[in-house]
Amino acid sequence: MPGCERAAPVGGPRADRQPRPVRDGIGLGLAVGVSGVAFGAAAVSSGLTVWQSCALSVLAFTGASQFALAGVIASGGSLLAGTAGAILLGSRNTLYGLRLAEVLRPRGLRRVPVALGVIDETTAITLAQPDPAAATKAFTTTFWCLYLTWNLATLGGALGAGRIGSPQAFGLDVVGPAAFLALIWPRLKSGRTERLVALAGVALALATTTVLPVGVPVILAATAALAGALAAPAAEGSPEVADCTSPEDPAK
Amino acid sequence: MTATWIAVLATAAGCYVLKLAGLTVPQRILAGPRVRRFAELVPVALLAALSAVQAATNGQAFDVDPARLAGLGAAVVALALRAPFLVVIVTAAATAAALRAAGVS
């Protein structure tokens, strides 16, 4: 899904085989895009309408933020807190944009469509290519294939969930929590700082649940990320990029 | 326009502007190691917190639902077995649904 989290050096496993930017892009786009079904179903069971769910996939197009907003709405939280949390989750895309700008070099108005496609998966596959021409092909193919699949899947999931009388009877209330866990699972395995930050985030959010407005405890969890960043900043050089192209990736 | 629509459109606009900023803003402003690490760790902290809050609370109260927690537990098992994303989700939902059908609530 747009938002899969995979920390791995880009380019490693594929360096010794022929790059196939178009084929790989289509494969990744289809494989990840179908997860839009889960978002559509979760969004509608949260209380969003079918069109609101689709609008998020069309316009926001970043899975974690979309799930987060739906989650806060499901728990009856403040819309302001839900929106703030969702936007905060989108901040990593800014860093992906920085890396992609070096390779794709979009100029002027060309940045407007390119920006929509700046997500975990497109960044991973683009940075794995050996030259700028292949990188541009990989980005364009992955973006369009994933965008179309993700949006069609969202519509399908939203329409499907809308026909179900009781979302709980189908276990749809556990889709959100399971999706969040699946998204961060590779990160949790990648380092001790990640696990400590996750635990601290959970503790902060649960400890303040009964005293703060719904949605705010989750935003408070960002202070755990701040503490982690101050205690263990990134090494100089190439930043970690979510690599959704490796075979063991759970989101594929 | 309903408040929910405003939240949907504000989220979309905010997410888009953050993406565009990366393509537009000069490298040096956002390239510091602490800023980068923060952006990497934000999803870890927020998504872990969201998962816990949605699994164990309802509004401002704790809400222990055995079927839901069992579903999340099944997701952990599926993840440990390296199941693909959709398999993890379906396993979690099916576990909760099966337990509820069996009378666990």
Side-chain angles (χ1 to χ4, degrees):
Chain A
M1 63 166 32
C4 111
E5 292 295 323
R6 169 101 210 140
V10 170
R14 42 178 57 226
D16 53 354
R17 71 170 170 86
Q18 201 63 21
R20 290 176 299 210
V22 173
R23 217 195 82 157
D24 288 354
I26 290 173
L28 182 66
L30 289 175
V32 176
V34 291
S35 310
V37 170
F39 170 70
V44 166
S45 2
S46 301
L48 288 169
T49 67
V50 171
W51 295 120
Q52 285 164 345
S53 314
C54 289
L56 274 176
S57 282
V58 169
L59 300 172
F61 189 55
T62 180
S65 300
Q66 296 179 223
F67 268 110
L69 181 63
V72 173
I73 289 173
S75 50
S78 105
L79 290 170
L80 188 64
T83 304
I87 293 176
L88 200 53
L89 274 169
S91 59
R92 71 192 185 289
N93 291 329
T94 306
L95 299 177
Y96 294 159
L98 280 176
R99 288 299 310 279
L100 288 177
E102 294 172 29
V103 183
L104 302 174
R105 304 199 170 279
R107 296 266 173 263
L109 283 179
R110 176 110 176 85
R111 290 177 185 138
V112 173
V114 167
L116 188 61
V118 176
I119 53 170
D120 301 292
E121 290 81 1
T122 51
T123 305
I125 202 164
T126 303
L127 298 182
Q129 305 305 316
D131 58 79
T136 303
K137 262 189 213 166
F139 177 85
T140 309
T141 312
T142 310
F143 173 28
W144 281 110
C145 184
L146 182 45
Y147 189 73
L148 289 175
T149 315
W150 175 254
N151 278 290
L152 285 174
T154 299
L155 180 63
L159 289 175
R163 285 162 197 268
I164 293 173
S166 163
Q168 287 230 336
F170 287 84
L172 291 186
D173 55 322
V174 80
V175 166
F180 298 136
L181 199 61
L183 285 170
I184 58 168
W185 190 261
R187 286 292 175 94
L188 295 181
K189 288 198 300 182
S190 76
R192 191 162 162 270
T193 309
E194 278 79 357
R195 288 190 288 275
L196 287 175
V197 164
L199 278 178
V202 167
L204 275 169
L206 289 181
T208 54
T209 286
T210 56
V211 289
L212 291 177
V214 176
V216 177
V218 170
I219 295 176
L220 197 65
T223 54
L226 188 62
L230 293 177
E236 284 297 339
S238 149
E240 251 178 28
V241 169
D243 179 3
C244 304
T245 59
S246 44
E248 74 273 26
D249 176 38
K252 192 165 176 179
Chain B
M1 188 182 280
T2 66
T4 309
W5 264 113
I6 294 173
V8 164
L9 295 179
T11 296
C15 289
Y16 179 80
V17 166
L18 283 172
K19 292 172 175 179
L20 189 63
L23 296 178
T24 318
V25 167
Q27 292 275 330
R28 61 181 183 285
I29 294 180
L30 291 168
R34 286 198 175 81
V35 175
R36 243 168 41 204
R37 192 71 173 130
F38 177 63
E40 284 167 8
L41 290 174
V42 158
V44 175
L46 261 61
L47 292 178
L50 266 170
S51 184
V53 163
Q54 288 188 22
T57 70
N58 185 9
Q60 279 188 311
F62 285 98
D63 174 26
V64 177
D65 178 326
R68 190 162 60 214
L69 293 181
L72 193 59
V76 171
V77 173
L79 283 166
L81 295 173
R82 300 188 165 199
F85 181 82
L86 275 183
V87 174
V88 173
I89 304 301
V90 170
T91 303
T95 302
L99 286 174
R100 284 177 185 139
V104 179
S105 60

